[in-house]
Coordinates of all heavy atoms in Angstrom, one line a residue:
V1 N -4.9 7.9 1.6 CA -5.8 7.8 0.5 C -5.6 6.5 -0.2 O -4.5 6.1 -0.6 CB -5.6 9.0 -0.6 CG1 -6.5 8.8 -1.8 CG2 -5.7 10.3 0.1
E2 N -6.7 5.7 -0.2 CA -6.6 4.4 -0.9 C -7.4 4.5 -2.2 O -8.5 4.9 -2.3 CB -7.3 3.3 -0.1 CG -6.6 2.9 1.2 CD -7.3 1.8 2.0 OE1 -8.4 1.4 1.6 OE2 -6.7 1.3 2.9
Y3 N -6.7 4.1 -3.3 CA -7.3 4.1 -4.6 C -7.7 2.6 -4.9 O -7.2 1.7 -4.3 CB -6.3 4.6 -5.7 CG -6.1 6.1 -5.7 CD1 -5.1 6.7 -5.0 CD2 -7.0 6.8 -6.4 CE1 -5.0 8.1 -5.0 CE2 -6.9 8.2 -6.4 CZ -5.9 8.8 -5.7 OH -5.7 10.2 -5.7
Y4 N -8.5 2.4 -5.9 CA -8.9 1.0 -6.3 C -7.8 0.4 -7.1 O -7.6 -0.8 -7.1 CB -10.2 1.1 -7.1 CG -11.4 1.2 -6.3 CD1 -12.0 2.5 -6.2 CD2 -11.9 0.2 -5.6 CE1 -13.1 2.6 -5.4 CE2 -13.1 0.3 -4.8 CZ -13.7 1.6 -4.6 OH -14.7 1.7 -3.9
N5 N -7.0 1.2 -7.8 CA -5.9 0.6 -8.6 C -4.6 1.4 -8.5 O -4.6 2.5 -8.2 CB -6.3 0.3 -10.1 CG -6.6 1.6 -10.8 OD1 -5.7 2.4 -11.0 ND2 -7.8 1.8 -11.2
R6 N -3.5 0.7 -8.8 CA -2.2 1.2 -8.7 C -2.0 2.4 -9.7 O -1.3 3.4 -9.3 CB -1.1 0.1 -9.0 CG 0.3 0.5 -9.0 CD 0.9 0.7 -7.6 NE 2.3 1.0 -7.7 CZ 3.1 1.0 -6.7 NH1 2.7 0.6 -5.5 NH2 4.4 1.3 -6.8
A7 N -2.5 2.3 -10.9 CA -2.2 3.4 -11.9 C -2.8 4.7 -11.4 O -2.2 5.8 -11.6 CB -2.9 3.0 -13.2
D8 N -4.0 4.7 -10.7 CA -4.5 5.9 -10.2 C -3.6 6.5 -9.1 O -3.4 7.7 -9.0 CB -6.0 5.7 -9.7 CG -6.9 5.4 -10.9 OD1 -6.6 5.6 -12.0 OD2 -8.1 4.9 -10.5
A9 N -3.1 5.6 -8.2 CA -2.3 6.1 -7.2 C -0.9 6.7 -7.7 O -0.4 7.7 -7.2 CB -2.0 4.9 -6.2
E10 N -0.4 6.0 -8.8 CA 0.7 6.6 -9.5 C 0.5 7.9 -10.0 O 1.4 8.8 -9.9 CB 1.3 5.6 -10.5 CG 1.9 4.3 -10.0 CD 2.3 3.4 -11.1 OE1 2.0 3.6 -12.3 OE2 2.8 2.3 -10.7
N11 N -0.7 8.1 -10.7 CA -1.0 9.4 -11.2 C -1.1 10.5 -10.1 O -0.6 11.6 -10.3 CB -2.4 9.4 -11.9 CG -2.3 8.8 -13.3 OD1 -1.2 8.9 -13.9 ND2 -3.3 8.2 -13.8
C12 N -1.6 10.1 -8.9 CA -1.6 11.0 -7.8 C -0.2 11.4 -7.4 O 0.1 12.6 -7.2 CB -2.3 10.4 -6.6 SG -2.4 11.5 -5.2
L13 N 0.7 10.5 -7.3 CA 2.1 10.8 -7.0 C 2.7 11.8 -8.0 O 3.4 12.7 -7.7 CB 3.0 9.6 -6.8 CG 2.8 8.8 -5.5 CD1 3.6 7.5 -5.6 CD2 3.3 9.7 -4.4
R14 N 2.4 11.5 -9.3 CA 2.9 12.4 -10.3 C 2.3 13.8 -10.4 O 3.0 14.7 -10.6 CB 2.6 11.7 -11.7 CG 3.5 10.6 -12.1 CD 3.3 10.2 -13.6 NE 3.9 9.0 -13.9 CZ 3.4 7.8 -13.9 NH1 2.1 7.7 -13.7 NH2 4.1 6.7 -14.2
Y15 N 1.0 13.9 -10.2 CA 0.3 15.1 -10.4 C -0.2 15.9 -9.2 O -0.4 17.1 -9.3 CB -0.9 14.9 -11.4 CG -0.4 14.2 -12.6 CD1 -0.9 13.0 -13.0 CD2 0.5 14.8 -13.5 CE1 -0.5 12.4 -14.2 CE2 0.9 14.2 -14.6 CZ 0.4 13.0 -15.0 OH 0.8 12.4 -16.1
V16 N -0.4 15.2 -8.1 CA -0.9 15.9 -6.9 C 0.3 16.2 -5.9 O 0.2 17.3 -5.3 CB -2.0 15.1 -6.2 CG1 -2.4 15.8 -4.9 CG2 -3.2 15.0 -7.1
N17 N 1.2 15.4 -5.8 CA 2.4 15.6 -4.9 C 3.0 17.0 -5.2 O 3.3 17.2 -6.4 CB 3.4 14.5 -5.0 CG 4.5 14.6 -4.0 OD1 4.3 15.0 -2.8 ND2 5.7 14.4 -4.4
G18 N 3.1 17.8 -4.2 CA 3.7 19.1 -4.4 C 2.8 20.2 -4.8 O 3.2 21.4 -5.0
T19 N 1.5 19.9 -4.9 CA 0.5 20.9 -5.2 C 0.0 21.6 -4.0 O 0.3 21.1 -2.8 CB -0.7 20.4 -6.0 OG1 -1.4 19.4 -5.3 CG2 -0.3 19.8 -7.4
R20 N -0.7 22.7 -4.1 CA -1.2 23.4 -2.9 C -2.7 23.1 -2.6 O -3.5 23.1 -3.5 CB -1.0 24.9 -3.3 CG -1.1 25.9 -2.1 CD -0.7 27.3 -2.5 NE 0.7 27.4 -2.7 CZ 1.6 27.7 -1.8 NH1 1.2 27.7 -0.5 NH2 2.9 27.8 -2.1
L21 N -2.9 22.9 -1.3 CA -4.3 22.7 -0.8 C -4.3 23.4 0.5 O -3.5 23.2 1.4 CB -4.5 21.2 -0.6 CG -5.9 20.8 0.0 CD1 -7.0 21.2 -0.9 CD2 -6.0 19.3 0.3
D22 N -5.3 24.2 0.7 CA -5.5 25.0 1.9 C -4.2 25.8 2.2 O -3.8 26.0 3.3 CB -5.8 24.2 3.1 CG -7.3 24.1 3.4 OD1 -8.0 24.9 2.8 OD2 -7.7 23.4 4.3
D23 N -3.6 26.4 1.1 CA -2.4 27.2 1.3 C -1.2 26.5 1.8 O -0.3 27.0 2.4 CB -2.7 28.4 2.1 CG -2.0 29.7 1.5 OD1 -1.6 29.7 0.3 OD2 -1.9 30.6 2.3
R24 N -1.2 25.1 1.6 CA 0.0 24.3 2.0 C 0.4 23.4 0.9 O -0.4 23.0 0.1 CB -0.5 23.4 3.2 CG -1.0 24.2 4.4 CD -1.3 23.4 5.6 NE 0.0 22.9 6.1 CZ 0.8 23.6 6.8 NH1 0.6 24.8 7.1 NH2 1.9 23.0 7.3
I25 N 1.7 23.1 0.8 CA 2.2 22.2 -0.2 C 2.0 20.7 0.3 O 2.5 20.3 1.3 CB 3.7 22.4 -0.4 CG1 3.9 23.9 -0.9 CG2 4.2 21.4 -1.5 CD1 3.2 24.3 -2.1
V26 N 1.2 20.0 -0.5 CA 0.8 18.6 -0.1 C 1.9 17.7 -0.5 O 2.6 17.8 -1.5 CB -0.5 18.2 -0.9 CG1 -0.8 16.7 -0.7 CG2 -1.6 19.1 -0.5
R27 N 2.3 16.8 0.5 CA 3.3 15.8 0.2 C 2.7 14.4 0.2 O 1.9 14.0 1.1 CB 4.4 15.9 1.3 CG 5.1 17.2 1.2 CD 6.4 17.2 2.0 NE 7.0 18.4 2.0 CZ 6.8 19.4 2.9 NH1 6.1 19.2 3.9 NH2 7.4 20.6 2.8
T28 N 2.9 13.6 -0.9 CA 2.4 12.2 -0.9 C 3.5 11.3 -1.0 O 4.6 11.6 -1.5 CB 1.4 12.1 -2.1 OG1 2.2 12.3 -3.3 CG2 0.3 13.0 -2.1
D29 N 3.3 10.1 -0.5 CA 4.3 9.0 -0.6 C 3.5 7.7 -0.5 O 2.4 7.6 0.0 CB 5.3 9.1 0.6 CG 6.6 8.4 0.3 OD1 6.7 7.7 -0.8 OD2 7.5 8.5 1.2
W30 N 4.2 6.6 -1.0 CA 3.6 5.3 -0.9 C 3.4 4.9 0.5 O 4.2 5.2 1.4 CB 4.5 4.3 -1.7 CG 4.5 4.4 -3.1 CD1 5.6 4.8 -3.9 CD2 3.4 4.2 -4.0 NE1 5.2 4.9 -5.2 CE2 3.8 4.5 -5.3 CE3 2.0 3.9 -3.9 CZ2 3.0 4.4 -6.4 CZ3 1.2 3.8 -5.0 CH2 1.7 4.1 -6.2
D31 N 2.4 4.1 0.8 CA 2.2 3.5 2.1 C 1.9 2.1 1.9 O 1.3 1.6 0.9 CB 1.0 4.2 2.8 CG 0.8 3.7 4.2 OD1 1.6 4.2 5.1 OD2 0.0 2.8 4.5
A32 N 2.4 1.2 2.8 CA 2.3 -0.2 2.7 C 0.9 -0.7 2.8 O 0.6 -1.9 2.6 CB 3.3 -0.9 3.7
G33 N 0.0 0.1 3.2 CA -1.4 -0.3 3.4 C -1.9 0.1 4.8 O -1.2 -0.1 5.8
F34 N -3.0 0.7 4.8 CA -3.6 1.2 6.1 C -4.0 0.0 7.0 O -4.6 -1.0 6.6 CB -4.8 2.1 5.8 CG -5.5 2.5 7.1 CD1 -4.9 3.5 7.8 CD2 -6.6 1.9 7.6 CE1 -5.4 3.9 9.1 CE2 -7.2 2.3 8.8 CZ -6.6 3.3 9.5

């Protein structure tokens, strides 16, 4: 997932990491760039 700015990506790590999607716990981590 590429965001336009770092702050939005940071929010994703804070609030989406560990949440449930399709009955699975989503894991997010920084990536050096696709």
Side-chain angles (χ1 to χ4, degrees):
V1 177
E2 289 182 354
Y3 285 94
Y4 283 100
N5 65 64
R6 176 79 177 193
D8 292 347
E10 287 177 358
N11 281 334
C12 181
L13 281 173
R14 281 188 190 101
Y15 305 119
V16 175
N17 186 39
T19 62
R20 195 171 287 276
L21 176 64
D22 259 358
D23 218 17
R24 304 186 66 76
I25 302 299
V26 175
R27 294 191 183 97
T28 60
D29 201 357
W30 290 114
D31 188 80
F34 177 75

